[in-house]
Amino acid sequence: MGLFKENPFGHILFLKRWLIRIAGMMTHQRYKGFNTLEIEGSQIIRDLPDRNVLFVSNHQTYFADVVAMFHVFNASLKGRDDSIRNLGYLWNPKLNIYYVAAKETMKQSLIAKILAYAGSISIERTWRADGQDVNRQVKFSDISNIAMALDDGWVITFPQGTTTPWKPLRKGTAHIIKRYKPVVVPVVIDGFRRSFDKKGLRVKKKGILQSMQIKTPLEIDYENESIESIMEKLEYAIEQHPSFLKVLSKEEIAAYEADHQKRRYSYRGD
């Protein structure tokens, strides 16, 4: 491999490898030290193809969720069974792992820019910008970049588009699944909201049990299933369907339905 070999996004792999190593060493204690990360499904990671895999997950912080997945995925590929012990797995990390993130978020700080170089597919959100509701069209370059990342490797996405739990999914993820036919792997995380601040950069509380469950790939009829059917499968798979709530008030149900309808009839690809 040449010293200055680049990935499809023009990132130098030598530099990306070192950024992942350094970031991994700096963050390891957050998941196996200050707090504990309980993992399930390492074998599923090892059984996946090298490319065209889409991980769909619920979302609790801006960055801690993704960083934990980088740890777990690389540890699993190096033979760790539901564990991130022994940092040796970071020496030769998988370099074709990407994650979808809001462009404005990835420009907020130097740390965010470094994490962006490590694998971000930065997109312009069609529904939110600078803390305000917006309504703008999908940029085709954003969709093309996600397609390019799938063609090169694995992509992590958070289809709710927010760290607020129980929000309906954005249907853009379902359109991507139908169009590019990736292997779709659900991931369910918990405990990160209690462990970290919203950005996921600062440890808020120690001694928290975090968890990450990697589920078997979804069975999807790419040709015949509707967008709504795929969205419902995703909601159940990442345990964000309202039926997972033990108690749901009439007001919460009404708010959920209103939000769901707004997204259902919003611009294609939102």
Side-chain angles (χ1 to χ4, degrees):
M1 178 185 293
L3 186 61
F4 298 105
K5 184 176 181 179
E6 299 179 347
N7 67 12
F9 296 96
H11 297 154
I12 298 172
L13 296 182
F14 175 80
L15 178 57
K16 181 173 179 177
R17 177 179 290 106
W18 273 103
L19 286 175
I20 293 174
R21 288 172 180 169
I22 294 169
M25 288 186 288
M26 292 176 62
T27 58
H28 188 254
Q29 282 291 97
R30 294 171 171 232
Y31 310 105
K32 192 173 177 58
F34 302 139
N35 297 299
T36 301
L37 179 60
E38 186 177 84
I39 305 163
E40 180 182 341
S42 290
Q43 186 58 50
I44 293 170
I45 295 295
R46 290 193 284 271
D47 292 340
L48 293 172
D50 186 56
R51 50 176 294 279
N52 203 32
V53 176
L54 182 67
F55 294 90
V56 292
S57 177
N58 61 313
H59 203 20
Q60 296 193 339
T61 74
Y62 292 167
F63 299 114
D65 310 3
V66 168
V67 173
M69 290 181 197
F70 268 70
H71 276 288
V72 171
F73 294 176
N74 279 291
S76 298
L77 290 172
K78 295 299 186 297
R80 312 298 193 276
D81 288 322
D82 297 337
S83 170
I84 57 171
R85 67 182 183 279
N86 186 349
L87 273 171
Y89 61 79
L90 287 173
W91 185 249
N92 189 27
K94 183 175 174 63
L95 297 179
N96 57 344
I97 300 177
Y98 305 93
Y99 61 97
V100 179
K103 185 173 293 183
E104 63 184 85
T105 301
M106 305 314 295
K107 292 180 177 180
Q108 288 181 354
S109 66
L110 176 60
I111 293 177
K113 291 177 182 178
I114 292 172
L115 291 173
Y117 200 95
S120 166
I121 309 167
S122 299
I123 65 170
E124 288 189 2
R125 292 185 295 185
T126 60
W127 67 95
R128 192 83 171 165
D130 299 321
Q132 303 294 323
D133 292 333
V134 298
N135 184 13
R136 59 191 177 197
Q137 292 186 342
V138 174
K139 291 186 67 174
F140 290 108
S141 59
D142 290 345
I143 303 299
S144 297
N145 285 338
I146 294 173
M148 189 187 307
L150 283 170
D151 188 59
D152 186 58
W154 295 357
V155 174
I156 301 164
T157 190
F158 304 96
Q160 288 171 290
T162 176
T163 57
T164 303
W166 314 115
K167 286 291 186 180
L169 275 57
R170 297 281 166 183
K171 61 183 179 181
T173 301
H175 283 291
I176 288 169
I177 290 170
K178 276 189 71 72
R179 182 169 182 178
Y180 299 108
K181 303 175 177 56
V183 176
V184 180
V185 182
V187 179
V188 178
I189 61 170
D190 195 24
F192 291 80
R193 186 177 288 109
R194 297 187 295 277
S195 302
F196 305 102
D197 65 348
K198 188 172 183 178
K199 289 186 177 181
L201 297 175
R202 180 177 61 85
V203 176
K204 185 171 65 176
K205 190 172 182 180
K206 298 180 181 180
I208 298 296
L209 176 61
Q210 305 157 343
S211 65
M212 181 182 300
Q213 181 188 11
I214 301 152
K215 298 186 176 182
T216 56
L218 295 179
E219 293 185 8
I220 297 174
D221 185 341
Y222 301 102
E223 301 297 334
N224 299 312
E225 278 199 60
S226 67
I227 294 296
E228 287 73 20
S229 173
I230 294 174
M231 287 176 65
E232 186 174 39
K233 277 187 176 180
L234 294 177
E235 280 186 324
Y236 277 107
I238 64 173
E239 300 180 9
Q240 289 297 299
H241 190 275
S243 64
F244 281 91
L245 286 173
K246 293 181 179 179
V247 179
L248 199 64
S249 69
K250 291 182 179 179
E251 292 77 13
E252 288 172 320
I253 293 173
Y256 175 87
E257 291 297 336
D259 201 358
H260 185 72
Q261 290 302 319
K262 185 195 304 182
R263 297 185 186 207
R264 181 187 293 271
Y265 296 112
S266 61
Y267 180 80
R268 178 182 175 93
D270 278 4

